[in-house]
Structures are given as structure tokens and as C-alpha cells.
Amino acid sequence: MTRAEIDAALRLALAESARTAESGDVPVGAVVLDPGGAVIGTGRNRREADADPTAHAEVLALRAAARARGEWRLAGCTLAVTLEPCTMCAGAAVLARVDRVVYGARDPKAGAAGSLWDVLRDRRLNHRPEVVPPDLVSPGVADACAAVLTEFFARRRIR
């Protein structure tokens, strides 16, 4: 993927994250792109909205993409997410066999794509997607992904 394609995918994920405002969920968005770059699945955090601990943006986007493809294997696909996946979401990406995971902001408290754990590149697993971290994203896009989360948590602390 080119940097322009990576940035475009993350902008779509950012737009999805903005849809969490009414539910009070942490603003994380995700999209799954097919091998040609078309969006085949979207998701945003819905843990609060659905009272579901597994309703993370990545899981919902992967489910939607699998439904769109009619199969659980998402070979050739890219998962783009605004925040580094947690262990559950990284595991779901591995199990879905996505080719690539792109993320816009690191998560030093729960990240499983290199920050705290590295599930996506664990050599003991049978599938290891390519990982595109924020360093390989345009600074403006990576900054926007981080800023959405910083602002959300700053507003929560003020209350």
C-alpha cells in the first residue's frame, strides 16, 4: 500500500470513529478494504451502546467484511483502525487471515501490535499480517487519530 492509500483508509476509519459520539463509546473506528481497495466492512466501538465487551471497532469491521465476502477468511484484505488493536482484536485479525493491519495511534496500555504485546507478529502463530504502525502514516493523519482519543479522555476527566 502506498502512503496515500494508508492515509485514505485511516481517514475512513476516523470518520467511522466520529459516529461513536452519541453512545459515549471510546472513539475508535475501523475499516476493512478488499484487495482492490474497496471498503467491505466498517466498525466503530459499540461496547457501551450494545453492552457487549467484544463490540470493538475491529471485531465489528471484520464481521461485516466476512459477511460481505461470504466467508471468514479475509486473505488479501487490509484492516485499518485508528487505535492500535488490543489482544482480542489482534487475535481476530490473525484468525481472519487479513494480509495487513494499519493503525494510526499507539496504545501503550493495551496495544498488541508492538506497544505492550506483539500478537500480530508472534512467530508462534500460523499467520502474521504485515503491520503498518503510525511511523509509516502521514504525520497529520496519525496526529488526528491520536487527537480524537486525547480529546475524548480529556473531556471525561473534566466531568
Side-chain angles (χ1 to χ4, degrees), residues 53-94:
T54 68
H56 288 209
E58 301 95 322
V59 170
L60 299 178
L62 290 167
R63 287 177 185 163
R67 278 192 305 274
R69 279 190 113 173
E71 65 174 321
W72 62 267
R73 288 178 191 85
L74 298 177
C77 293
T78 297
L79 171 64
V81 59
T82 56
L83 179 65
E84 181 178 0
C86 69
T87 53
M88 175 182 69
C89 295
V94 168

PDB file of all heavy atoms in Angstrom, residues 53-94:
ATOM      1  N   PRO A  53     -18.887  -6.538  25.633  1.00  0.00           N
ATOM      2  CA  PRO A  53     -17.449  -6.338  25.807  1.00  0.00           C
ATOM      3  C   PRO A  53     -16.637  -6.656  24.553  1.00  0.00           C
ATOM      4  O   PRO A  53     -15.494  -6.221  24.435  1.00  0.00           O
ATOM      5  CB  PRO A  53     -17.081  -7.279  26.952  1.00  0.00           C
ATOM      6  CG  PRO A  53     -18.149  -8.310  26.959  1.00  0.00           C
ATOM      7  CD  PRO A  53     -19.399  -7.619  26.471  1.00  0.00           C
ATOM      8  N   THR A  54     -17.205  -7.386  23.605  1.00  0.00           N
ATOM      9  CA  THR A  54     -16.474  -7.711  22.380  1.00  0.00           C
ATOM     10  C   THR A  54     -16.779  -6.754  21.229  1.00  0.00           C
ATOM     11  O   THR A  54     -16.253  -6.935  20.140  1.00  0.00           O
ATOM     12  CB  THR A  54     -16.783  -9.151  21.908  1.00  0.00           C
ATOM     13  OG1 THR A  54     -18.147  -9.221  21.465  1.00  0.00           O
ATOM     14  CG2 THR A  54     -16.526 -10.165  23.014  1.00  0.00           C
ATOM     15  N   ALA A  55     -17.588  -5.746  21.454  1.00  0.00           N
ATOM     16  CA  ALA A  55     -18.007  -4.834  20.378  1.00  0.00           C
ATOM     17  C   ALA A  55     -16.952  -3.756  20.126  1.00  0.00           C
ATOM     18  O   ALA A  55     -17.226  -2.564  20.181  1.00  0.00           O
ATOM     19  CB  ALA A  55     -19.363  -4.227  20.693  1.00  0.00           C
ATOM     20  N   HIS A  56     -15.741  -4.201  19.825  1.00  0.00           N
ATOM     21  CA  HIS A  56     -14.664  -3.298  19.446  1.00  0.00           C
ATOM     22  C   HIS A  56     -14.781  -3.020  17.947  1.00  0.00           C
ATOM     23  O   HIS A  56     -15.269  -3.858  17.179  1.00  0.00           O
ATOM     24  CB  HIS A  56     -13.303  -3.923  19.734  1.00  0.00           C
ATOM     25  CG  HIS A  56     -12.968  -4.008  21.179  1.00  0.00           C
ATOM     26  ND1 HIS A  56     -11.663  -3.979  21.628  1.00  0.00           N
ATOM     27  CD2 HIS A  56     -13.739  -4.117  22.285  1.00  0.00           C
ATOM     28  CE1 HIS A  56     -11.649  -4.072  22.951  1.00  0.00           C
ATOM     29  NE2 HIS A  56     -12.902  -4.162  23.371  1.00  0.00           N
ATOM     30  N   ALA A  57     -14.289  -1.873  17.529  1.00  0.00           N
ATOM     31  CA  ALA A  57     -14.378  -1.454  16.129  1.00  0.00           C
ATOM     32  C   ALA A  57     -13.832  -2.522  15.185  1.00  0.00           C
ATOM     33  O   ALA A  57     -14.455  -2.841  14.162  1.00  0.00           O
ATOM     34  CB  ALA A  57     -13.631  -0.140  15.945  1.00  0.00           C
ATOM     35  N   GLU A  58     -12.669  -3.074  15.517  1.00  0.00           N
ATOM     36  CA  GLU A  58     -12.028  -4.049  14.629  1.00  0.00           C
ATOM     37  C   GLU A  58     -12.879  -5.307  14.472  1.00  0.00           C
ATOM     38  O   GLU A  58     -13.040  -5.813  13.355  1.00  0.00           O
ATOM     39  CB  GLU A  58     -10.655  -4.454  15.174  1.00  0.00           C
ATOM     40  CG  GLU A  58      -9.690  -3.317  15.341  1.00  0.00           C
ATOM     41  CD  GLU A  58      -9.668  -2.733  16.751  1.00  0.00           C
ATOM     42  OE1 GLU A  58     -10.742  -2.630  17.377  1.00  0.00           O
ATOM     43  OE2 GLU A  58      -8.574  -2.359  17.208  1.00  0.00           O
ATOM     44  N   VAL A  59     -13.384  -5.820  15.567  1.00  0.00           N
ATOM     45  CA  VAL A  59     -14.189  -7.041  15.519  1.00  0.00           C
ATOM     46  C   VAL A  59     -15.438  -6.812  14.673  1.00  0.00           C
ATOM     47  O   VAL A  59     -15.788  -7.643  13.827  1.00  0.00           O
ATOM     48  CB  VAL A  59     -14.549  -7.514  16.946  1.00  0.00           C
ATOM     49  CG1 VAL A  59     -15.585  -8.623  16.914  1.00  0.00           C
ATOM     50  CG2 VAL A  59     -13.287  -7.973  17.677  1.00  0.00           C
ATOM     51  N   LEU A  60     -16.095  -5.675  14.866  1.00  0.00           N
ATOM     52  CA  LEU A  60     -17.302  -5.383  14.094  1.00  0.00           C
ATOM     53  C   LEU A  60     -16.996  -5.197  12.612  1.00  0.00           C
ATOM     54  O   LEU A  60     -17.756  -5.655  11.752  1.00  0.00           O
ATOM     55  CB  LEU A  60     -18.005  -4.157  14.677  1.00  0.00           C
ATOM     56  CG  LEU A  60     -18.464  -4.334  16.128  1.00  0.00           C
ATOM     57  CD1 LEU A  60     -19.096  -3.053  16.646  1.00  0.00           C
ATOM     58  CD2 LEU A  60     -19.406  -5.505  16.287  1.00  0.00           C
ATOM     59  N   ALA A  61     -15.867  -4.558  12.298  1.00  0.00           N
ATOM     60  CA  ALA A  61     -15.476  -4.387  10.895  1.00  0.00           C
ATOM     61  C   ALA A  61     -15.129  -5.731  10.255  1.00  0.00           C
ATOM     62  O   ALA A  61     -15.508  -5.992   9.100  1.00  0.00           O
ATOM     63  CB  ALA A  61     -14.298  -3.427  10.793  1.00  0.00           C
ATOM     64  N   LEU A  62     -14.421  -6.590  10.981  1.00  0.00           N
ATOM     65  CA  LEU A  62     -14.080  -7.911  10.458  1.00  0.00           C
ATOM     66  C   LEU A  62     -15.333  -8.749  10.231  1.00  0.00           C
ATOM     67  O   LEU A  62     -15.445  -9.453   9.211  1.00  0.00           O
ATOM     68  CB  LEU A  62     -13.111  -8.629  11.404  1.00  0.00           C
ATOM     69  CG  LEU A  62     -11.701  -8.050  11.469  1.00  0.00           C
ATOM     70  CD1 LEU A  62     -10.933  -8.639  12.656  1.00  0.00           C
ATOM     71  CD2 LEU A  62     -10.948  -8.266  10.165  1.00  0.00           C
ATOM     72  N   ARG A  63     -16.286  -8.682  11.155  1.00  0.00           N
ATOM     73  CA  ARG A  63     -17.548  -9.421  10.984  1.00  0.00           C
ATOM     74  C   ARG A  63     -18.283  -8.949   9.739  1.00  0.00           C
ATOM     75  O   ARG A  63     -18.792  -9.758   8.952  1.00  0.00           O
ATOM     76  CB  ARG A  63     -18.444  -9.234  12.208  1.00  0.00           C
ATOM     77  CG  ARG A  63     -17.996  -9.982  13.425  1.00  0.00           C
ATOM     78  CD  ARG A  63     -18.912  -9.669  14.591  1.00  0.00           C
ATOM     79  NE  ARG A  63     -18.437 -10.299  15.816  1.00  0.00           N
ATOM     80  CZ  ARG A  63     -18.843  -9.952  17.023  1.00  0.00           C
ATOM     81  NH1 ARG A  63     -19.739  -8.985  17.190  1.00  0.00           N
ATOM     82  NH2 ARG A  63     -18.364 -10.566  18.087  1.00  0.00           N
ATOM     83  N   ALA A  64     -18.366  -7.627   9.561  1.00  0.00           N
ATOM     84  CA  ALA A  64     -19.059  -7.070   8.393  1.00  0.00           C
ATOM     85  C   ALA A  64     -18.365  -7.490   7.100  1.00  0.00           C
ATOM     86  O   ALA A  64     -19.027  -7.832   6.106  1.00  0.00           O
ATOM     87  CB  ALA A  64     -19.134  -5.549   8.502  1.00  0.00           C
ATOM     88  N   ALA A  65     -17.042  -7.476   7.092  1.00  0.00           N
ATOM     89  CA  ALA A  65     -16.289  -7.865   5.900  1.00  0.00           C
ATOM     90  C   ALA A  65     -16.500  -9.346   5.583  1.00  0.00           C
ATOM     91  O   ALA A  65     -16.665  -9.717   4.411  1.00  0.00           O
ATOM     92  CB  ALA A  65     -14.801  -7.565   6.096  1.00  0.00           C
ATOM     93  N   ALA A  66     -16.510 -10.175   6.599  1.00  0.00           N
ATOM     94  CA  ALA A  66     -16.729 -11.610   6.387  1.00  0.00           C
ATOM     95  C   ALA A  66     -18.129 -11.853   5.815  1.00  0.00           C
ATOM     96  O   ALA A  66     -18.297 -12.674   4.900  1.00  0.00           O
ATOM     97  CB  ALA A  66     -16.533 -12.367   7.694  1.00  0.00           C
ATOM     98  N   ARG A  67     -19.118 -11.125   6.341  1.00  0.00           N
ATOM     99  CA  ARG A  67     -20.472 -11.249   5.787  1.00  0.00           C
ATOM    100  C   ARG A  67     -20.485 -10.809   4.319  1.00  0.00           C
ATOM    101  O   ARG A  67     -21.093 -11.465   3.477  1.00  0.00           O
ATOM    102  CB  ARG A  67     -21.467 -10.405   6.584  1.00  0.00           C
ATOM    103  CG  ARG A  67     -21.976 -11.065   7.840  1.00  0.00           C
ATOM    104  CD  ARG A  67     -23.165 -10.337   8.450  1.00  0.00           C
ATOM    105  NE  ARG A  67     -22.909  -8.923   8.714  1.00  0.00           N
ATOM    106  CZ  ARG A  67     -22.342  -8.450   9.811  1.00  0.00           C
ATOM    107  NH1 ARG A  67     -21.969  -9.276  10.771  1.00  0.00           N
ATOM    108  NH2 ARG A  67     -22.163  -7.161   9.969  1.00  0.00           N
ATOM    109  N   ALA A  68     -19.817  -9.703   4.014  1.00  0.00           N
ATOM    110  CA  ALA A  68     -19.793  -9.189   2.647  1.00  0.00           C
ATOM    111  C   ALA A  68     -19.125 -10.179   1.693  1.00  0.00           C
ATOM    112  O   ALA A  68     -19.563 -10.339   0.549  1.00  0.00           O
ATOM    113  CB  ALA A  68     -19.071  -7.840   2.599  1.00  0.00           C
ATOM    114  N   ARG A  69     -18.095 -10.845   2.166  1.00  0.00           N
ATOM    115  CA  ARG A  69     -17.370 -11.812   1.323  1.00  0.00           C
ATOM    116  C   ARG A  69     -18.009 -13.185   1.336  1.00  0.00           C
ATOM    117  O   ARG A  69     -17.716 -14.017   0.477  1.00  0.00           O
ATOM    118  CB  ARG A  69     -15.927 -11.960   1.802  1.00  0.00           C
ATOM    119  CG  ARG A  69     -15.030 -10.851   1.304  1.00  0.00           C
ATOM    120  CD  ARG A  69     -13.608 -11.176   1.606  1.00  0.00           C
ATOM    121  NE  ARG A  69     -12.862 -11.410   0.370  1.00  0.00           N
ATOM    122  CZ  ARG A  69     -11.561 -11.584   0.346  1.00  0.00           C
ATOM    123  NH1 ARG A  69     -10.862 -11.594   1.463  1.00  0.00           N
ATOM    124  NH2 ARG A  69     -10.938 -11.762  -0.785  1.00  0.00           N
ATOM    125  N   GLY A  70     -18.823 -13.441   2.339  1.00  0.00           N
ATOM    126  CA  GLY A  70     -19.450 -14.754   2.443  1.00  0.00           C
ATOM    127  C   GLY A  70     -18.519 -15.832   2.962  1.00  0.00           C
ATOM    128  O   GLY A  70     -18.776 -17.017   2.781  1.00  0.00           O
ATOM    129  N   GLU A  71     -17.455 -15.420   3.621  1.00  0.00           N
ATOM    130  CA  GLU A  71     -16.520 -16.365   4.223  1.00  0.00           C
ATOM    131  C   GLU A  71     -15.706 -15.661   5.299  1.00  0.00           C
ATOM    132  O   GLU A  71     -15.558 -14.445   5.280  1.00  0.00           O
ATOM    133  CB  GLU A  71     -15.587 -16.978   3.176  1.00  0.00           C
ATOM    134  CG  GLU A  71     -14.655 -15.990   2.516  1.00  0.00           C
ATOM    135  CD  GLU A  71     -13.656 -16.671   1.598  1.00  0.00           C
ATOM    136  OE1 GLU A  71     -13.160 -17.759   1.935  1.00  0.00           O
ATOM    137  OE2 GLU A  71     -13.374 -16.096   0.539  1.00  0.00           O
ATOM    138  N   TRP A  72     -15.175 -16.436   6.224  1.00  0.00           N
ATOM    139  CA  TRP A  72     -14.433 -15.842   7.339  1.00  0.00           C
ATOM    140  C   TRP A  72     -12.996 -15.502   6.982  1.00  0.00           C
ATOM    141  O   TRP A  72     -12.374 -14.671   7.622  1.00  0.00           O
ATOM    142  CB  TRP A  72     -14.471 -16.746   8.571  1.00  0.00           C
ATOM    143  CG  TRP A  72     -13.846 -18.104   8.381  1.00  0.00           C
ATOM    144  CD1 TRP A  72     -14.472 -19.245   8.014  1.00  0.00           C
ATOM    145  CD2 TRP A  72     -12.469 -18.442   8.561  1.00  0.00           C
ATOM    146  NE1 TRP A  72     -13.573 -20.288   7.939  1.00  0.00           N
ATOM    147  CE2 TRP A  72     -12.332 -19.816   8.287  1.00  0.00           C
ATOM    148  CE3 TRP A  72     -11.333 -17.726   8.930  1.00  0.00           C
ATOM    149  CZ2 TRP A  72     -11.117 -20.488   8.359  1.00  0.00           C
ATOM    150  CZ3 TRP A  72     -10.116 -18.391   9.008  1.00  0.00           C
ATOM    151  CH2 TRP A  72     -10.029 -19.757   8.722  1.00  0.00           C
ATOM    152  N   ARG A  73     -12.459 -16.138   5.954  1.00  0.00           N
ATOM    153  CA  ARG A  73     -11.081 -15.851   5.554  1.00  0.00           C
ATOM    154  C   ARG A  73     -11.043 -14.534   4.776  1.00  0.00           C
ATOM    155  O   ARG A  73     -11.695 -14.412   3.746  1.00  0.00           O
ATOM    156  CB  ARG A  73     -10.524 -16.974   4.693  1.00  0.00           C
ATOM    157  CG  ARG A  73     -10.224 -18.225   5.452  1.00  0.00           C
ATOM    158  CD  ARG A  73      -9.709 -19.315   4.505  1.00  0.00           C
ATOM    159  NE  ARG A  73      -9.664 -20.596   5.160  1.00  0.00           N
ATOM    160  CZ  ARG A  73     -10.693 -21.430   5.260  1.00  0.00           C
ATOM    161  NH1 ARG A  73     -11.864 -21.117   4.743  1.00  0.00           N
ATOM    162  NH2 ARG A  73     -10.557 -22.581   5.881  1.00  0.00           N
ATOM    163  N   LEU A  74     -10.270 -13.602   5.274  1.00  0.00           N
ATOM    164  CA  LEU A  74     -10.173 -12.287   4.642  1.00  0.00           C
ATOM    165  C   LEU A  74      -8.795 -12.078   4.015  1.00  0.00           C
ATOM    166  O   LEU A  74      -8.222 -10.993   4.074  1.00  0.00           O
ATOM    167  CB  LEU A  74     -10.499 -11.192   5.667  1.00  0.00           C
ATOM    168  CG  LEU A  74     -11.913 -11.264   6.244  1.00  0.00           C
ATOM    169  CD1 LEU A  74     -12.106 -10.193   7.304  1.00  0.00           C
ATOM    170  CD2 LEU A  74     -12.967 -11.152   5.153  1.00  0.00           C
ATOM    171  N   ALA A  75      -8.274 -13.140   3.404  1.00  0.00           N
ATOM    172  CA  ALA A  75      -6.971 -13.066   2.737  1.00  0.00           C
ATOM    173  C   ALA A  75      -7.001 -11.968   1.691  1.00  0.00           C
ATOM    174  O   ALA A  75      -7.995 -11.786   0.985  1.00  0.00           O
ATOM    175  CB  ALA A  75      -6.639 -14.404   2.090  1.00  0.00           C
ATOM    176  N   GLY A  76      -5.922 -11.212   1.626  1.00  0.00           N
ATOM    177  CA  GLY A  76      -5.813 -10.122   0.675  1.00  0.00           C
ATOM    178  C   GLY A  76      -6.360  -8.807   1.196  1.00  0.00           C
ATOM    179  O   GLY A  76      -6.179  -7.769   0.570  1.00  0.00           O
ATOM    180  N   CYS A  77      -7.021  -8.844   2.335  1.00  0.00           N
ATOM    181  CA  CYS A  77      -7.665  -7.646   2.873  1.00  0.00           C
ATOM    182  C   CYS A  77      -6.758  -6.889   3.836  1.00  0.00           C
ATOM    183  O   CYS A  77      -5.807  -7.439   4.375  1.00  0.00           O
ATOM    184  CB  CYS A  77      -8.955  -8.021   3.598  1.00  0.00           C
ATOM    185  SG  CYS A  77     -10.224  -8.658   2.486  1.00  0.00           S
ATOM    186  N   THR A  78      -7.109  -5.629   4.037  1.00  0.00           N
ATOM    187  CA  THR A  78      -6.408  -4.745   4.972  1.00  0.00           C
ATOM    188  C   THR A  78      -7.391  -4.272   6.024  1.00  0.00           C
ATOM    189  O   THR A  78      -8.491  -3.837   5.686  1.00  0.00           O
ATOM    190  CB  THR A  78      -5.832  -3.525   4.234  1.00  0.00           C
ATOM    191  OG1 THR A  78      -4.853  -3.972   3.288  1.00  0.00           O
ATOM    192  CG2 THR A  78      -5.196  -2.535   5.194  1.00  0.00           C
ATOM    193  N   LEU A  79      -6.990  -4.353   7.279  1.00  0.00           N
ATOM    194  CA  LEU A  79      -7.749  -3.781   8.393  1.00  0.00           C
ATOM    195  C   LEU A  79      -7.061  -2.480   8.777  1.00  0.00           C
ATOM    196  O   LEU A  79      -5.874  -2.483   9.116  1.00  0.00           O
ATOM    197  CB  LEU A  79      -7.754  -4.740   9.589  1.00  0.00           C
ATOM    198  CG  LEU A  79      -8.316  -4.192  10.906  1.00  0.00           C
ATOM    199  CD1 LEU A  79      -9.793  -3.861  10.791  1.00  0.00           C
ATOM    200  CD2 LEU A  79      -8.073  -5.203  12.036  1.00  0.00           C
ATOM    201  N   ALA A  80      -7.791  -1.368   8.692  1.00  0.00           N
ATOM    202  CA  ALA A  80      -7.253  -0.063   9.090  1.00  0.00           C
ATOM    203  C   ALA A  80      -8.052   0.409  10.297  1.00  0.00           C
ATOM    204  O   ALA A  80      -9.287   0.424  10.271  1.00  0.00           O
ATOM    205  CB  ALA A  80      -7.376   0.942   7.956  1.00  0.00           C
ATOM    206  N   VAL A  81      -7.345   0.785  11.353  1.00  0.00           N
ATOM    207  CA  VAL A  81      -8.002   1.158  12.603  1.00  0.00           C
ATOM    208  C   VAL A  81      -7.294   2.365  13.204  1.00  0.00           C
ATOM    209  O   VAL A  81      -6.081   2.514  13.082  1.00  0.00           O
ATOM    210  CB  VAL A  81      -8.041  -0.053  13.571  1.00  0.00           C
ATOM    211  CG1 VAL A  81      -6.663  -0.562  13.892  1.00  0.00           C
ATOM    212  CG2 VAL A  81      -8.830   0.248  14.828  1.00  0.00           C
ATOM    213  N   THR A  82      -8.067   3.212  13.857  1.00  0.00           N
ATOM    214  CA  THR A  82      -7.500   4.457  14.380  1.00  0.00           C
ATOM    215  C   THR A  82      -6.595   4.238  15.579  1.00  0.00           C
ATOM    216  O   THR A  82      -5.699   5.045  15.820  1.00  0.00           O
ATOM    217  CB  THR A  82      -8.620   5.447  14.757  1.00  0.00           C
ATOM    218  OG1 THR A  82      -9.512   4.834  15.698  1.00  0.00           O
ATOM    219  CG2 THR A  82      -9.396   5.877  13.516  1.00  0.00           C
ATOM    220  N   LEU A  83      -6.803   3.173  16.333  1.00  0.00           N
ATOM    221  CA  LEU A  83      -6.008   2.879  17.530  1.00  0.00           C
ATOM    222  C   LEU A  83      -5.415   1.480  17.419  1.00  0.00           C
ATOM    223  O   LEU A  83      -6.077   0.555  16.936  1.00  0.00           O
ATOM    224  CB  LEU A  83      -6.889   2.972  18.784  1.00  0.00           C
ATOM    225  CG  LEU A  83      -6.230   2.677  20.127  1.00  0.00           C
ATOM    226  CD1 LEU A  83      -5.165   3.720  20.453  1.00  0.00           C
ATOM    227  CD2 LEU A  83      -7.286   2.640  21.229  1.00  0.00           C
ATOM    228  N   GLU A  84      -4.218   1.322  17.895  1.00  0.00           N
ATOM    229  CA  GLU A  84      -3.548   0.018  17.899  1.00  0.00           C
ATOM    230  C   GLU A  84      -4.468  -1.048  18.496  1.00  0.00           C
ATOM    231  O   GLU A  84      -5.035  -0.859  19.575  1.00  0.00           O
ATOM    232  CB  GLU A  84      -2.269   0.117  18.729  1.00  0.00           C
ATOM    233  CG  GLU A  84      -1.475  -1.151  18.804  1.00  0.00           C
ATOM    234  CD  GLU A  84      -0.190  -0.977  19.592  1.00  0.00           C
ATOM    235  OE1 GLU A  84       0.086   0.143  20.082  1.00  0.00           O
ATOM    236  OE2 GLU A  84       0.554  -1.972  19.727  1.00  0.00           O
ATOM    237  N   PRO A  85      -4.637  -2.174  17.813  1.00  0.00           N
ATOM    238  CA  PRO A  85      -5.520  -3.226  18.311  1.00  0.00           C
ATOM    239  C   PRO A  85      -5.069  -3.794  19.661  1.00  0.00           C
ATOM    240  O   PRO A  85      -3.876  -3.906  19.940  1.00  0.00           O
ATOM    241  CB  PRO A  85      -5.430  -4.307  17.230  1.00  0.00           C
ATOM    242  CG  PRO A  85      -4.988  -3.588  16.001  1.00  0.00           C
ATOM    243  CD  PRO A  85      -4.087  -2.487  16.497  1.00  0.00           C
ATOM    244  N   CYS A  86      -6.060  -4.176  20.470  1.00  0.00           N
ATOM    245  CA  CYS A  86      -5.812  -4.877  21.736  1.00  0.00           C
ATOM    246  C   CYS A  86      -5.551  -6.353  21.424  1.00  0.00           C
ATOM    247  O   CYS A  86      -5.593  -6.773  20.266  1.00  0.00           O
ATOM    248  CB  CYS A  86      -7.026  -4.721  22.657  1.00  0.00           C
ATOM    249  SG  CYS A  86      -8.493  -5.621  22.083  1.00  0.00           S
ATOM    250  N   THR A  87      -5.332  -7.158  22.438  1.00  0.00           N
ATOM    251  CA  THR A  87      -5.046  -8.575  22.205  1.00  0.00           C
ATOM    252  C   THR A  87      -6.212  -9.288  21.526  1.00  0.00           C
ATOM    253  O   THR A  87      -5.996 -10.106  20.631  1.00  0.00           O
ATOM    254  CB  THR A  87      -4.686  -9.303  23.516  1.00  0.00           C
ATOM    255  OG1 THR A  87      -5.712  -9.076  24.470  1.00  0.00           O
ATOM    256  CG2 THR A  87      -3.355  -8.832  24.057  1.00  0.00           C
ATOM    257  N   MET A  88      -7.446  -8.974  21.924  1.00  0.00           N
ATOM    258  CA  MET A  88      -8.608  -9.619  21.314  1.00  0.00           C
ATOM    259  C   MET A  88      -8.679  -9.279  19.831  1.00  0.00           C
ATOM    260  O   MET A  88      -8.861 -10.162  18.985  1.00  0.00           O
ATOM    261  CB  MET A  88      -9.900  -9.185  22.011  1.00  0.00           C
ATOM    262  CG  MET A  88     -11.163  -9.726  21.349  1.00  0.00           C
ATOM    263  SD  MET A  88     -12.694  -9.184  22.124  1.00  0.00           S
ATOM    264  CE  MET A  88     -12.722  -7.437  21.706  1.00  0.00           C
ATOM    265  N   CYS A  89      -8.531  -8.005  19.513  1.00  0.00           N
ATOM    266  CA  CYS A  89      -8.669  -7.556  18.128  1.00  0.00           C
ATOM    267  C   CYS A  89      -7.496  -8.008  17.265  1.00  0.00           C
ATOM    268  O   CYS A  89      -7.677  -8.366  16.104  1.00  0.00           O
ATOM    269  CB  CYS A  89      -8.840  -6.047  18.095  1.00  0.00           C
ATOM    270  SG  CYS A  89     -10.390  -5.531  18.896  1.00  0.00           S
ATOM    271  N   ALA A  90      -6.305  -7.998  17.825  1.00  0.00           N
ATOM    272  CA  ALA A  90      -5.147  -8.508  17.093  1.00  0.00           C
ATOM    273  C   ALA A  90      -5.336  -9.999  16.812  1.00  0.00           C
ATOM    274  O   ALA A  90      -5.061 -10.465  15.697  1.00  0.00           O
ATOM    275  CB  ALA A  90      -3.863  -8.265  17.881  1.00  0.00           C
ATOM    276  N   GLY A  91      -5.816 -10.724  17.793  1.00  0.00           N
ATOM    277  CA  GLY A  91      -6.097 -12.147  17.594  1.00  0.00           C
ATOM    278  C   GLY A  91      -7.150 -12.377  16.527  1.00  0.00           C
ATOM    279  O   GLY A  91      -7.025 -13.277  15.693  1.00  0.00           O
ATOM    280  N   ALA A  92      -8.185 -11.535  16.518  1.00  0.00           N
ATOM    281  CA  ALA A  92      -9.230 -11.657  15.497  1.00  0.00           C
ATOM    282  C   ALA A  92      -8.661 -11.393  14.104  1.00  0.00           C
ATOM    283  O   ALA A  92      -9.018 -12.081  13.139  1.00  0.00           O
ATOM    284  CB  ALA A  92     -10.380 -10.699  15.802  1.00  0.00           C
ATOM    285  N   ALA A  93      -7.777 -10.420  13.984  1.00  0.00           N
ATOM    286  CA  ALA A  93      -7.152 -10.127  12.691  1.00  0.00           C
ATOM    287  C   ALA A  93      -6.316 -11.309  12.209  1.00  0.00           C
ATOM    288  O   ALA A  93      -6.343 -11.660  11.027  1.00  0.00           O
ATOM    289  CB  ALA A  93      -6.303  -8.862  12.788  1.00  0.00           C
ATOM    290  N   VAL A  94      -5.577 -11.921  13.121  1.00  0.00           N
ATOM    291  CA  VAL A  94      -4.776 -13.102  12.776  1.00  0.00           C
ATOM    292  C   VAL A  94      -5.698 -14.231  12.329  1.00  0.00           C
ATOM    293  O   VAL A  94      -5.484 -14.854  11.286  1.00  0.00           O
ATOM    294  CB  VAL A  94      -3.898 -13.547  13.966  1.00  0.00           C
ATOM    295  CG1 VAL A  94      -3.287 -14.922  13.721  1.00  0.00           C
ATOM    296  CG2 VAL A  94      -2.816 -12.518  14.244  1.00  0.00           C
TER     297      VAL A  94
END
